Amino acid sequence: MVKTGNGFSDLAAGLLYLLPSLLLFGVFLFYPMIRTIYLSFFYTDPQGNPIAFIGLENFTYLLQSEAFLNSAKATGLFVLYTVPAGILLSLFLALIANLKLKGIGIFRTLFSSTMGMSVAASSIIWMFMYNPSIGVFNKLLNLIGFEGHQWLLDPNTALLSVALSTIWMNTGFAFLILLGGLQNIDEQLYESARISGAGSFYQLRRITLPMLSPTLFFITTVSLINAFQTFGQIDILTKGGPVQSTNVIVYSIYQDAFVNYNAGSASAQAVLLFFCILAVTVLQFRLGEKKVHYQ
């Protein structure tokens, strides 16, 4: 047997290569995470410094707080509104853009264009669209004889309105990933299906969706995590209102930490949100990955 190298020197070389990543993750990910968990067990002063250890009191208070439960409900509804609809819309657009038609590149550019816009710019556009006086939605309602609506000021429509704008903002990324997945499917599978007389719907159900399942699984996981972490458009469009109807947990964390200066409660909410996202992600891997077809 020939000895290929010293184990210790190999380990040292590996750690040296990993050092830049470890430093970045340590400073910007692991330290803030550990600090957040630490602060969640303390009363804090307005500067965020711990002043008294209180154990799980921040958590028990949150779980009995009507405001936090409303935030959790708003977060759940927001995820429910945005993730399935966003994936279905992106898949529909990707299927259209995957057709071999003249000029289809123009539509591919249009469908993916939302990726190039910041959340702030997109939110301003949607703010004008929802404007009760000059917004396009109320103009359309007026054209067909209905009165205008306060889309962002009505608690019944505010969350749906923010969800609609979020679907539009996220469509570009999901569309590009799904289109890439579609273009990687072997064309011979479709030729064999056509020779056998299979219709378009059969090809979609038996070839496209199974072969695209790893990409769909990835998009679903990323979309779920992003939906739980949505902040920018809520801050610009509604600021958590009206009547807390769009006050999702991430926005509630921001308000507690930087408006109310209660870092202990904000940290406890962040910890609860982390475990919520972790549970959903694990569940997604346990249930969703069974239906993924890898080549």
Side-chain angles (χ1 to χ4, degrees):
M1 179 179 287
V2 179
K3 193 173 182 179
T4 56
N6 184 293
F8 180 77
S9 61
D10 288 347
L11 177 63
L15 289 175
L16 190 62
Y17 282 118
L18 286 174
L19 187 59
S21 299
L22 290 175
L23 283 174
L24 285 174
F25 281 122
V27 172
F28 295 108
L29 180 62
F30 298 130
Y31 172 72
M33 182 186 295
I34 294 169
R35 179 73 176 173
T36 299
I37 295 172
Y38 173 74
L39 288 179
S40 68
F41 298 110
F42 285 85
Y43 275 129
T44 55
D45 63 17
Q47 285 74 41
N49 300 313
I51 53 177
F53 179 77
I54 56 171
L56 297 175
E57 193 172 319
N58 277 328
F59 295 98
T60 54
Y61 170 76
L62 285 173
L63 295 176
Q64 295 170 357
S65 163
E66 187 178 350
F68 178 75
L69 295 179
N70 284 335
S71 293
K73 179 184 175 184
T75 305
L77 287 174
F78 185 77
V79 172
L80 194 63
Y81 292 157
T82 55
V83 175
I87 292 173
L88 287 175
L89 175 63
S90 302
L91 178 61
F92 175 70
L93 295 177
L95 288 170
I96 293 175
N98 195 43
L99 298 174
K100 293 177 175 56
L101 300 176
K102 188 177 181 181
I104 198 67
I106 297 172
F107 291 97
R108 289 175 181 172
T109 305
L110 287 175
F111 295 157
S112 59
S113 60
T114 58
M115 264 193 74
M117 298 182 68
S118 68
V119 171
S122 301
S123 300
I124 295 297
I125 292 171
W126 280 89
M127 184 183 287
F128 279 110
M129 291 171 69
Y130 286 132
N131 187 287
S133 302
I134 61 173
V136 65
F137 292 114
N138 279 357
K139 294 287 185 187
L140 290 173
L141 283 179
N142 293 336
L143 278 177
I144 57 177
F146 290 95
E147 291 185 0
H149 186 74
Q150 300 274 2
W151 300 98
L152 297 174
L153 297 179
D154 184 343
N156 296 317
T157 58
L159 189 64
L160 275 171
S161 302
V162 178
L164 182 61
S165 66
T166 302
I167 291 170
W168 182 82
M169 292 175 200
N170 294 340
T171 295
F173 172 74
F175 163 77
L176 274 183
I177 300 295
L178 290 172
L179 181 61
L182 286 172
Q183 292 184 341
N184 280 330
I185 299 176
D186 191 348
E187 189 60 31
Q188 290 182 353
L189 295 173
Y190 293 108
E191 289 178 9
S192 301
R194 283 192 287 270
I195 292 171
S196 303
S200 300
F201 181 72
Y202 183 88
Q203 292 178 39
L204 173 67
R205 192 162 57 91
R206 294 294 187 182
I207 299 175
T208 305
L209 292 181
M211 299 304 288
L212 196 61
S213 56
T215 311
L216 282 170
F217 179 74
F218 169 75
I219 285 295
T220 304
T221 305
V222 171
S223 300
L224 276 171
I225 294 172
N226 286 341
F228 275 108
Q229 297 177 336
T230 298
F231 173 79
Q233 52 269 50
I234 290 173
D235 185 42
I236 294 171
L237 291 174
T238 62
K239 297 195 180 303
V243 200
Q244 307 295 309
S245 60
T246 61
N247 190 30
V248 295
I249 294 178
V250 169
Y251 198 76
S252 178
I253 293 170
Y254 161 75
Q255 286 189 312
D256 259 2
F258 301 108
V259 178
N260 302 325
Y261 299 106
N262 188 350
S265 174
S267 299
Q269 291 182 66
V271 172
L272 289 176
L273 180 62
F274 167 74
F275 282 109
C276 182
I277 294 174
L278 181 65
V280 170
T281 306
V282 170
L283 198 64
Q284 163 75 2
F285 271 84
R286 287 287 179 88
L287 300 180
E289 202 171 25
K290 293 179 181 175
K291 298 182 179 178
V292 174
H293 173 78
Y294 293 104
Q295 296 185 49

